[in-house]
Amino acid sequence: LQDTDEFILPTGANKTRGRFELAFFTIGGCCMTGAAFGALNGLRLGLKETQNMAWSKPRNVQILNMVTRQGALWANTLGSLALLYSAFGVIIEKTRGAEDDLNTIAAGTLTGMLYKSTG
């Protein structure tokens, strides 16, 4: 067995991804998760609301509208939350100059406070 790294890194580079690099994965993943969850929820709501209708084009269109509306709503909501969380995390990390769990806790707390402040 060789005891060398698998990748060649520039001198002084980290072997782990920084918070800014992970932000893109986090935001994209949340958007996709929200879209999938919203589509399933829209399908459930569409079938429930149209249960008294016969299978026809109007029923299919109504179900499809509900799927796309709910999918977009959930993708937008979770994507926005992920964007706020990632932005707060990057700002806090750059401000403190440290990369630890306190940044994650602070970013989550600030995101929750800002999200619920509208209510």
Side-chain angles (χ1 to χ4, degrees):
L1 289 175
Q2 291 181 339
D3 194 28
T4 59
D5 290 331
E6 187 177 344
F7 302 105
I8 299 172
L9 296 169
T11 306
N14 277 341
K15 292 181 182 179
T16 60
R17 294 177 191 256
R19 191 176 274 277
F20 186 71
E21 290 175 291
L22 292 174
F24 295 101
F25 172 77
T26 302
I27 295 165
C30 284
C31 283
M32 295 302 288
T33 302
F37 180 77
L40 288 174
N41 190 38
L43 180 63
R44 181 187 65 82
L45 290 173
L47 289 172
K48 183 179 174 185
E49 286 186 13
T50 61
Q51 66 186 2
N52 294 333
M53 297 172 68
W55 282 106
S56 59
K57 276 190 177 181
R59 183 180 184 189
N60 291 344
V61 168
Q62 198 167 350
I63 291 171
L64 189 60
N65 285 343
M66 190 66 80
V67 167
T68 52
R69 191 177 305 126
Q70 287 291 310
L73 176 75
W74 280 92
N76 190 18
T77 302
L78 288 183
S80 298
L81 285 173
L83 178 67
L84 284 173
Y85 169 74
S86 297
F88 281 136
V90 169
I91 291 168
I92 292 168
E93 181 183 323
K94 298 297 180 198
T95 303
R96 291 186 63 229
E99 188 175 336
D100 56 12
D101 291 340
L102 185 59
N103 296 349
T104 304
I105 294 168
T109 302
L110 287 172
T111 300
M113 287 171 57
L114 186 61
Y115 183 70
K116 283 298 183 182
S117 69
T118 58

